[in-house]
Amino acid sequence: MDLEQLRQQVADFALERDWDQFHSVRNLILAMVGEVGEVAEIVQWVGDDGMQDLLSSDGRTRLAQELSDVLIYLVRIADKSGIDLAEAVTKKLAENNEKYPSDKARGNSKKYTELGD
Amino acid sequence: MDLEQLRQQVADFALERDWDQFHSVRNLILAMVGEVGEVAEIVQWVGDDGMQDLLSSDGRTRLAQELSDVLIYLVRIADKSGIDLAEAVTKKLAENNEKYPSDKARGNSKKYTELGD
Amino acid sequence: MDLEQLRQQVADFALERDWDQFHSVRNLILAMVGEVGEVAEIVQWVGDDGMQDLLSSDGRTRLAQELSDVLIYLVRIADKSGIDLAEAVTKKLAENNEKYPSDKARGNSKKYTELGD
Amino acid sequence: MDLEQLRQQVADFALERDWDQFHSVRNLILAMVGEVGEVAEIVQWVGDDGMQDLLSSDGRTRLAQELSDVLIYLVRIADKSGIDLAEAVTKKLAENNEKYPSDKARGNSKKYTELGD
């Protein structure tokens, strides 16, 4: 699945339903927040220790569905904002590579601004 | 950019920094929530009417960066949960197609459970 | 601290700065999402096991600040929506009391719709 | 409604149901994220222009319910973190007063770090 293919499919889906009128960037961001909330709901009561059990049951399927919803809105937000998401993420990975050099960041969850010299 | 390529790049990035120890699914979900919060911050004060101006300025670049961060964590959550994100989103799009038939959903933002017969 | 006092203080604060123009309900909701993201960021990498350490260090102060920001926006959203938050939460607690009777809900994290008879 | 009264009511509610076992701080934060997602869902498709209509209909009641859920979890997170929320928010308001002096912040939505001298 290519990000560009996905963008096209999601755009076609909206077009066929005349949903562009609802798909302002801020509306879509709020919709994404709603879906992220559903992701959180799935894992909210299990604790870190309960995740393996959750993922062995129907929790994995439910999580897969909600993550897909987040991805769909994410791709749509980028599209309606004139952002090439594939290009943006490639650039971000390169930036992260500079901000978090392996030797300093190894085994360390500190933010790059807090990594010592 | 293929979702599988992206998954691999993000996994390699974490591996090189020995970050797997931090990348539990719940940790990653909380990190994604943080990034979604940064997306919201970018658009919080402009109002719907201010979005075009925001996207014509450096707002688009900032939005592209934060959307990329959401995508990176999203891909990583799926990976650490044993979810094939490309497969999941393909399935979800097919389900949405059934839940929102074009003729009933046209020009309508109601949830599928509220679409009349 | 009374919720009504807090509402008044937050309203005065905005009035003195001529910020009502920015405080539409949707803007405020997006701002609250941003603050919730900052709450998540504080606890994202520590894992459940690291919470006690976090709360023994400056993590408690940082968490207190971000929770306060969420509360301030929450109170402001209610105010700008014409919602009496004290009344609403009293009503919600009563509803929760009916939806989750102690005998059925005891030791059970299921949603009320899934509680057996 | 006093924040301390609310804290007590929410704590009693959990105690009666033996829910303390689920109420770790991270679980509660994830639950709050879920409720914030439900707030976002209510306003996601209406646009800024549709808010008045939404608040004139049953949208206000639904919003009041979801805001109450956010408040309940917020109060509970503070309680389980050993944070006095009333004290924290009083302190935060005082800090905001210093960070955003009326003369500089008037009519200006910039972050305090971007306010000129």
Side-chain angles (χ1 to χ4, degrees):
Chain A
M1 170 69 76
D2 193 278
L3 282 174
E4 169 55 23
Q5 290 173 316
L6 182 53
R7 184 201 65 74
Q8 189 63 58
Q9 286 186 42
V10 175
D12 289 346
F13 190 91
L15 190 67
E16 285 163 18
R17 282 153 190 81
D18 194 17
W19 279 358
D20 271 78
Q21 58 185 311
F22 306 118
H23 285 189
S24 72
V25 174
R26 296 213 328 162
N27 283 8
L28 291 162
I29 288 174
L30 285 160
M32 182 173 71
V33 169
E35 298 301 336
V36 168
E38 297 197 37
V39 170
E41 270 184 56
I42 295 173
V43 304
Q44 70 192 4
W45 298 132
V46 297
D48 290 352
D49 293 342
M51 280 306 295
Q52 201 151 3
D53 274 3
L54 182 84
L55 292 172
S56 308
S57 72
D58 74 328
R60 178 182 276 130
T61 307
R62 288 186 290 130
L63 188 56
Q65 289 169 334
E66 300 306 337
L67 293 177
S68 298
D69 282 335
V70 177
L71 180 58
I72 289 168
Y73 282 126
L74 185 61
V75 162
R76 186 72 174 149
I77 293 165
D79 192 12
K80 300 298 281 186
S81 304
I83 290 168
D84 181 326
L85 192 54
E87 189 185 296
V89 77
T90 301
K91 206 170 157 187
K92 196 63 166 69
L93 287 171
E95 284 170 13
N96 285 350
N97 208 40
E98 297 226 347
K99 287 200 287 192
Y100 298 94
S102 317
D103 56 331
K104 281 185 199 160
R106 183 162 297 124
N108 193 330
S109 67
K110 281 189 185 159
K111 202 172 177 179
Y112 68 96
T113 46
E114 296 163 9
L115 286 178
D117 287 318
Chain B
M1 169 73 76
D2 192 277
L3 282 174
E4 169 55 22
Q5 290 174 317
L6 181 55
R7 185 202 65 74
Q8 189 62 58
Q9 285 186 40
V10 175
D12 288 347
F13 191 92
L15 190 66
E16 285 163 19
R17 282 154 189 81
D18 195 17
W19 279 357
D20 271 78
Q21 59 186 311
F22 306 118
H23 286 191
S24 73
V25 175
R26 296 210 331 158
N27 283 8
L28 291 162
I29 288 174
L30 285 160
M32 182 172 71
V33 169
E35 298 301 336
V36 169
E38 298 199 34
V39 171
E41 270 185 55
I42 294 173
V43 305
Q44 69 192 4
W45 299 131
V46 297
D48 290 354
D49 293 341
M51 281 305 294
Q52 201 152 4
D53 274 3
L54 183 85
L55 293 173
S56 308
S57 73
D58 74 327
R60 178 181 277 130
T61 307
R62 288 185 290 130
L63 188 55
Q65 289 169 335
E66 300 306 337
L67 292 178
S68 298
D69 281 336
V70 177
L71 179 58
I72 290 168
Y73 282 126
L74 185 61
V75 162
R76 187 71 174 150
I77 294 164
D79 192 12
K80 299 299 280 186
S81 304
I83 290 168
D84 182 327
L85 192 54
E87 189 186 296
V89 77
T90 301
K91 207 171 157 186
K92 196 62 167 65
L93 287 170
E95 285 170 14
N96 285 349
N97 208 40
E98 298 227 346
K99 287 200 287 192
Y100 298 95
S102 316
D103 57 331
K104 280 186 200 160
R106 183 160 297 125
N108 193 329
S109 66
K110 282 188 186 159
K111 204 172 175 179
Y112 70 95
T113 46
E114 297 163 8
L115 286 178
D117 289 320
Chain C
M1 171 69 76
D2 192 278
L3 282 174
E4 169 54 23
Q5 290 173 317
L6 182 54
R7 185 203 63 74
Q8 189 62 60
Q9 285 186 42
V10 175
D12 289 346
F13 191 91
L15 190 65
E16 285 163 18
R17 282 153 188 81
D18 194 17
W19 279 357
D20 271 79
Q21 59 185 310
F22 305 118
H23 286 191
S24 72
V25 174
R26 296 209 333 158
N27 283 8
L28 291 163
I29 287 174
L30 285 160
M32 182 173 71
V33 169
E35 298 301 336
V36 168
E38 297 198 35
V39 170
E41 270 184 55
I42 294 172
V43 304
Q44 69 192 5
W45 299 132
V46 297
D48 290 352
D49 293 341
M51 280 306 294
Q52 200 151 4
D53 274 3
L54 183 84
L55 292 172
S56 309
S57 72
D58 74 328
R60 178 181 277 130
T61 307
R62 287 185 291 129
L63 188 56
Q65 290 169 334
E66 300 306 336
L67 292 177
S68 299
D69 282 335
V70 177
L71 180 58
I72 289 168
Y73 283 125
L74 185 61
V75 163
R76 186 72 174 150
I77 294 164
D79 192 12
K80 300 298 281 187
S81 305
I83 290 167
D84 181 327
L85 192 55
E87 189 186 296
V89 77
T90 301
K91 207 171 157 187
K92 196 64 169 61
L93 287 170
E95 285 170 15
N96 285 349
N97 208 39
E98 297 227 347
K99 288 200 287 192
Y100 298 94
S102 316
D103 57 331
K104 281 185 198 160
R106 184 162 295 126
N108 192 331
S109 66
K110 281 189 187 160
K111 202 170 176 181
Y112 69 95
T113 45
E114 296 163 9
L115 287 178
D117 288 317
Chain D
M1 170 70 78
D2 192 277
L3 282 174
E4 170 54 23
Q5 290 174 317
L6 182 54
R7 185 202 64 74
Q8 190 62 58
Q9 285 185 42
V10 175
D12 289 347
F13 191 91
L15 191 66
E16 285 163 19
R17 282 153 189 81
D18 194 16
W19 279 358
D20 270 78
Q21 60 186 308
F22 306 117
H23 286 190
S24 73
V25 175
R26 296 212 329 159
N27 283 8
L28 291 162
I29 288 174
L30 286 160
M32 182 173 70
V33 169
E35 297 301 336
V36 168
E38 298 198 35
V39 170
E41 270 185 55
I42 294 173
V43 305
Q44 68 193 4
W45 299 132
V46 297
D48 290 352
D49 293 342
M51 280 305 295
Q52 202 152 3
D53 274 3
L54 183 86
L55 292 172
S56 308
S57 73
D58 75 327
R60 178 181 276 130
T61 307
R62 287 184 291 129
L63 188 56
Q65 290 169 335
E66 300 307 336
L67 292 177
S68 298
D69 282 335
V70 177
L71 180 58
I72 289 168
Y73 283 125
L74 185 61
V75 162
R76 187 73 173 149
I77 293 164
D79 193 11
K80 300 299 281 187
S81 305
I83 290 169
D84 182 326
L85 192 54
E87 188 185 296
V89 78
T90 301
K91 207 172 158 186
K92 197 61 168 64
L93 287 171
E95 285 170 14
N96 285 349
N97 208 39
E98 298 225 347
K99 287 200 288 191
Y100 298 95
S102 316
D103 57 330
K104 281 186 200 159
R106 183 160 298 125
N108 192 331
S109 67
K110 282 188 185 159
K111 202 169 177 180
Y112 69 96
T113 46
E114 296 163 9
L115 287 178
D117 289 317

